[in-house]
Amino acid sequence: MRIGAAILVALVLPATLAGVQVKSDGSGDFASYRTYAWKSGTQARNPNMEDLIVETVEAQLEAKGLTRADDEPDLYVATYVLPDKVSVSELRNSGMEFWSGVVSVSPADIGAGTLVVDLTERESGEVVWRGVASETIKGTYKKMERKVASAIAKMFRRYPPP
């Protein structure tokens, strides 16, 4: 990674994510999805943590057989890092749609230390898969790195959904 193991949580700011609660849900023609591109979401406060999230999500997508293609992808990927408790109206204003398609997340699922990964179908504009991981973690960057990777891996175990 781009940051040394000696960097402490104070530099990473509230380190969000982990793996205590991980949920994922979705519905779509997952056999037809082959490519993805990134769409803006809500970035982590620390650019190094944001880079870690993006790299880890991309590794999971590639492991599932998806390839990055910025021109006319099948899916758009957006991540939302929510280090503080927010209201549903704040989330809607950030561009995150909680009630679209068949995927929904209750307001109770969105608290401090939450990472949401949305996969949105380019053609329909509907969220077809959503993964949610939440817990606030503290410690060295290496510890956070392990927990982030673990949470995202656990999230993608349910992609595609059964």
Side-chain angles (χ1 to χ4, degrees):
M1 290 285 107
R2 298 177 195 165
I3 189 168
I7 301 298
L8 298 176
V9 72
L11 295 178
V12 180
L13 294 172
T16 58
L17 312 178
V20 167
Q21 293 185 0
V22 176
K23 300 177 182 182
S24 58
D25 187 20
S27 177
D29 184 10
F30 291 93
S32 70
Y33 303 143
R34 302 270 187 249
T35 59
Y36 72 91
W38 284 92
K39 186 176 169 182
S40 63
T42 304
Q43 293 189 347
R45 290 179 184 168
N46 182 284
N48 294 309
M49 185 59 67
E50 180 65 20
D51 289 347
L52 173 62
I53 292 166
V54 169
E55 290 170 12
T56 306
V57 168
E58 284 189 339
Q60 288 296 318
L61 291 170
E62 290 172 11
K64 298 294 184 175
L66 295 166
T67 305
R68 185 169 178 169
D70 293 329
D71 293 329
E72 297 191 23
D74 300 319
L75 298 170
Y76 286 112
V77 181
T79 60
Y80 302 87
V81 179
L82 308 168
D84 305 308
K85 188 173 183 171
V86 294
S87 70
V88 172
S89 63
E90 289 173 308
L91 292 171
R92 285 188 183 133
N93 291 338
S94 75
M96 188 171 189
E97 291 294 328
F98 272 82
W99 319 114
S100 62
V102 297
V103 182
S104 66
V105 175
S106 88
D109 292 335
I110 307 302
T114 299
L115 168 67
V116 178
V117 178
D118 277 352
L119 301 182
T120 304
E121 200 173 57
R122 181 181 56 87
E123 295 278 327
S124 69
E126 290 186 22
V127 175
V128 294
W129 185 88
R130 172 170 286 148
V132 179
S134 63
E135 180 189 347
T136 300
I137 56 174
K138 297 177 180 169
T140 65
Y141 185 78
K142 283 292 183 191
K143 180 179 178 182
M144 290 182 284
E145 186 178 67
R146 285 190 305 272
K147 287 202 170 211
V148 168
S150 174
I152 293 172
K154 187 174 179 184
M155 186 186 297
F156 274 93
R157 280 187 214 142
R158 297 182 193 145
Y159 178 91

